[in-house]
Amino acid sequence: MLKTAERDPAALPRLLIALLAIVLLWPGVRLSELDLGVFLQSGSSEVGRFLAGFWPPARDAEFLQILLDATLQTLAIATAGMTLALLIALPASLIASRALSLSAAVRGGQPLWWAQLLRWPVRGLLIFLRSVPEIVWALLFVRAVGLGPTAGVLAIAITYSGMLGKVYAEIFESVDQRPAHALMQAGSGRLAAFLYGVLPNAAAEMLSYSVYRWECAIRASVVMGFVGAGGLGQQIDLSLRMFAGSEVASILLTFFVLVLLADLLSRLLRGRLG
Amino acid sequence: MTLRLTQAGLQHRDGSHALRGVDLSIEAGERVAIIGPSGAGKSSLLNLLGTARPPSSGRLEVLGRQPWQLSGRQRQKLRTHIGLIHQAPPLPPRQRVVTAVLAGKLGQWGLAKSLLNLLYPLDIPGARGQLAKLDLADKLFAQCQQLSGGQLQRVGIARVLYQAPELLLADEPVSAMDPVLADHTLSVLCRHAGEHGVTLVASLHTVELALAHFPRVIGLREGRIVFDRPAAEVDRGLLDALYANEQLLPPAPPHIGATAVQIPRC
């Protein structure tokens, strides 16, 4: 009796669950044709030589000049795309959200049904804008306006305006509505009530999300480079084709630094506002 | 006639009645206090008068207009003449006091001026003047989140004073202040109303303050007006009837000497 009490009663079920998990997961590994053995046959194999070429990263002056140009182009694509996206997203989010509704202020947060109905076309537009991934837009625009950063800028502007518009509208609705309602009840216009009543509460979250989206835009512009939309992506595509591992390593390090900088910027801005 | 309610009722969204059959008329320049137990409908009445909610039955007339017959634009114009002081002023925590006070005139300013004022406060002396009346001038550039409840209430009052409305409604405007400050603040409000011929309607939970500062007192209970008379005629009996609470009976006197106290020993 004492012997059985010394044993953990949960041990057997845990062991069985672990075995079950392995039995269920193993077919997944087989089906995806994952073969880690590739890395072990180093030296002679193609992969090993390619990976060995990653170190040290390329740092000759000529390549660094190319890398700098590509980085600036990527930043420019992301920033220009985000700016265009904001131009669409800000007005759209104001129309789509209930934050500016005069009738909601009177009716306990619920706008009139026809006012609610008017918001749907704008919501539909935002859904349409973000439902197509930016890479697809980029492929379309590369066909339409030719190779180069313009296609990337337009693709980011379209997809991100949809995402920013939706999230901004939700942020406006999630903050305290009473300050804006109080201002509207004192005769203020909707936009002024929004600026004085909603924006102070929403600004920090909007800023943080926008900087995060800018970071995502940098990554997206890299991906779109592969389909010919310029920037670091195009450069990494070229380096991969030439099996120049050291160049790939330099470009990957640049990604890391860019994302790190975006993170620091976000932190700094939140600290200033928070 | 500044305010007239005819058989006005207000129903909450859940179906309960906040106000039933209220008849009330208040002349321009009058100062009226509304008293009554918690949940009597004092805030609902002020929201109704301030056009924050439409009456679910009856008629409302404010400053000679029927606000719910007007178009949205005209109603907003009418509302610039109505100032409502909230019990807990809804101010964004990060907004600065100067911006919060100047926001009182948003209804009178155009959008361009409102935007400019957000970048740089356009009337710092004006905001400082209103805050100085309430002994709060030193907090002009503080953020609202740095203030206490009583200080926030005074910022809310300063905003409405800066708005300079013809009809001033106040929902428990001094509930978070100490007695001396509450007395001072109410006299500031009353003096402002007297000097500018403003109609002042305030709900208060301190009967003494209501009787001391307001010539006319209205007792509200369960959404109905119980009495409406000059402050001098409000006596003990009326107040007891107004505040009587069947739920909270006075505690029964303790029964003495029936049970001897037993001290357990072991």
Side-chain angles (χ1 to χ4, degrees), chain A residues 102 105-108 110 176 178-179 182-189 191-193 195-201 204 273-274, chain B residues 13 50-54 68 76 79-80 82 84 86 90-95 99 103 106-107 111 114-115 117-118 159 163:
Chain A
L102 272 175
V106 174
R107 294 160 48 87
Q110 210 56 40
D176 190 1
R178 288 171 305 165
L183 287 168
M184 288 196 240
Q185 277 155 26
S188 141
L191 212 50
L195 290 171
Y196 282 75
V198 174
L199 202 59
N201 286 333
L273 269 176
Chain B
R13 295 179 79 78
T51 72
R53 301 271 312 270
W68 300 102
Q76 286 306 94
R79 280 171 164 178
T80 61
I82 307 171
L84 176 61
H86 298 254
L91 301 171
R94 270 197 274 272
Q95 194 162 59
T99 316
L106 281 185
L111 186 61
S114 309
L115 260 175
N117 181 61
L118 212 53
R159 170 193 275 189
Q163 184 192 345

Side-chain angles (χ1 to χ4, degrees), chain A:
Chain A
M1 197 64 209
L2 211 73
K3 259 218 150 57
T4 51
E6 271 174 18
R7 217 177 280 149
D8 182 355
L12 191 64
R14 282 181 189 172
L15 187 67
L16 287 177
I17 287 170
L19 283 176
L20 187 70
I22 290 171
V23 167
L24 286 178
L25 290 175
W26 187 246
V29 175
R30 301 301 309 169
L31 283 175
S32 60
E33 296 176 14
L34 173 68
D35 184 9
L36 294 170
V38 171
F39 294 99
L40 296 174
Q41 313 156 2
S42 63
S44 60
S45 86
E46 201 62 32
V47 179
R49 238 179 303 136
F50 180 57
L51 286 181
F54 268 53
W55 197 262
R59 56 195 186 284
D60 54 291
E62 195 189 350
F63 177 71
L64 283 184
Q65 187 57 48
I66 294 174
L67 185 63
L68 182 69
D69 286 345
T71 309
L72 288 180
Q73 198 171 49
T74 291
L75 283 174
I77 292 172
T79 312
M82 277 293 285
T83 312
L84 282 180
L86 280 175
L87 288 182
I88 304 172
L90 282 174
S93 63
L94 286 179
I95 299 172
S97 94
R98 283 179 311 207
L100 285 175
S101 168
L102 272 175
S103 56
V106 174
R107 294 160 48 87
Q110 210 56 40
L112 291 165
W113 63 270
W114 56 265
Q116 194 77 298
L117 217 61
L118 281 179
R119 286 168 232 280
W120 273 106
V122 183
R123 285 211 187 126
L125 175 71
L126 291 177
I127 291 172
F128 168 71
L129 288 174
R130 69 176 188 274
S131 59
V132 181
E134 60 263 28
I135 188 83
V136 178
W137 285 120
L139 278 167
L140 290 175
F141 281 122
V142 165
R143 297 267 187 289
V145 300
L147 290 174
T150 314
V153 170
L154 290 175
I156 288 182
I158 287 182
T159 316
Y160 281 48
S161 60
M163 297 188 204
L164 290 172
K166 172 196 157 65
V167 175
Y168 285 172
E170 282 175 3
I171 292 175
F172 297 158
E173 286 182 15
S174 70
V175 301
D176 190 1
Q177 305 288 306
R178 288 171 305 165
H181 287 174
L183 287 168
M184 288 196 240
Q185 277 155 26
S188 141
R190 301 152 188 255
L191 212 50
F194 167 79
L195 290 171
Y196 282 75
V198 174
L199 202 59
N201 286 333
E205 209 172 329
M206 281 174 70
L207 193 70
S208 155
Y209 183 74
S210 307
V211 174
Y212 172 67
R213 268 293 145 206
W214 181 66
E215 185 192 312
C216 293
I218 292 174
R219 274 195 295 270
S221 71
V222 169
V223 173
M224 286 185 295
F226 280 86
V227 299
L232 280 171
Q234 209 156 353
Q235 196 53 47
I236 206 172
D237 190 32
L238 285 175
S239 300
L240 278 171
R241 278 166 205 255
M242 295 188 299
F243 293 102
S246 59
E247 291 182 9
V248 176
S250 297
I251 298 173
L252 290 181
L253 279 175
T254 315
F255 288 174
F256 174 74
V257 172
L258 282 181
V259 174
L260 182 74
L261 286 179
D263 190 62
L264 287 176
L265 180 68
S266 163
R267 218 169 256 261
L268 183 81
L269 289 174
R270 272 181 80 82
R272 292 277 304 167
L273 269 176

Side-chain angles (χ1 to χ4, degrees), chain B residues 94-130:
Chain B
R94 270 197 274 272
Q95 194 162 59
R96 288 189 303 170
V97 169
V98 60
T99 316
V101 173
L102 293 180
K105 279 219 198 289
L106 281 185
Q108 291 148 59
W109 291 349
L111 186 61
K113 192 167 181 191
S114 309
L115 260 175
L116 204 59
N117 181 61
L118 212 53
L119 298 177
Y120 186 83
L122 295 177
D123 188 12
I124 296 175
R128 194 196 300 278
Q130 300 301 343

Side-chain angles (χ1 to χ4, degrees), chain B:
Chain B
M1 193 76 68
T2 296
L3 283 169
R4 188 204 286 278
L5 279 174
T6 318
Q7 282 299 310
L10 185 65
Q11 203 167 2
H12 284 308
R13 295 179 79 78
D14 60 5
S16 60
H17 288 269
L19 294 171
R20 304 160 191 262
V22 174
D23 286 307
L24 179 65
S25 65
I26 295 175
E27 301 288 330
E30 264 196 286
R31 298 203 308 274
V32 182
I34 301 171
I35 58 173
S38 299
K42 303 192 290 288
S43 298
S44 301
L45 182 55
L46 286 169
N47 278 331
L48 198 64
L49 296 176
T51 72
R53 301 271 312 270
S56 26
S57 61
R59 238 172 68 117
L60 167 69
E61 210 176 289
V62 181
L63 301 172
R65 315 288 294 271
Q66 287 190 45
W68 300 102
Q69 309 286 324
L70 298 173
S71 71
R73 187 176 294 273
Q74 285 176 312
R75 184 161 57 237
Q76 286 306 94
K77 205 165 150 47
L78 175 69
R79 280 171 164 178
T80 61
H81 303 295
I82 307 171
L84 176 61
I85 298 170
H86 298 254
Q87 183 176 9
L91 301 171
R94 270 197 274 272
Q95 194 162 59
R96 288 189 303 170
V97 169
V98 60
T99 316
V101 173
L102 293 180
K105 279 219 198 289
L106 281 185
Q108 291 148 59
W109 291 349
L111 186 61
K113 192 167 181 191
S114 309
L115 260 175
L116 204 59
N117 181 61
L118 212 53
L119 298 177
Y120 186 83
L122 295 177
D123 188 12
I124 296 175
R128 194 196 300 278
Q130 300 301 343
L131 287 168
K133 286 185 199 165
L134 299 159
D135 190 26
L136 210 60
D138 55 327
K139 298 286 186 204
L140 189 62
F141 291 108
Q143 285 189 334
C144 288
Q145 60 187 354
Q146 295 163 344
L147 304 186
S148 71
Q151 287 171 328
L152 273 182
Q153 278 192 332
R154 282 182 281 161
V155 173
I157 294 170
R159 170 193 275 189
V160 175
L161 289 182
Y162 186 69
Q163 184 192 345
E166 288 173 42
L167 169 60
L168 218 167
L169 305 168
D171 188 2
E172 311 238 344
V174 295
S175 59
M177 299 180 201
D178 65 63
V180 176
L181 202 53
D183 193 62
H184 169 75
T185 306
L186 275 183
S187 27
V188 168
L189 274 179
C190 290
R191 192 164 353 114
H192 175 89
E195 282 169 6
H196 298 84
V198 170
T199 315
L200 174 63
V201 183
S203 77
L204 291 165
H205 63 206
T206 320
V207 178
E208 293 73 34
L209 285 176
L211 296 179
H213 289 279
F214 293 85
R216 179 176 166 193
V217 177
I218 293 174
L220 202 64
R221 185 183 165 93
E222 287 166 7
R224 296 173 196 278
I225 291 180
V226 179
F227 63 81
D228 177 358
R229 51 180 72 192
E233 291 175 21
V234 177
D235 56 22
R236 195 70 242 168
L238 270 180
L239 292 174
D240 283 346
L242 182 64
Y243 285 100
N245 193 327
E246 296 84 13
Q247 312 297 320
L248 300 175
L249 291 170
H255 201 60
I256 301 160
T259 48
V261 181
Q262 293 198 340
I263 300 166
R265 290 166 197 268
C266 52

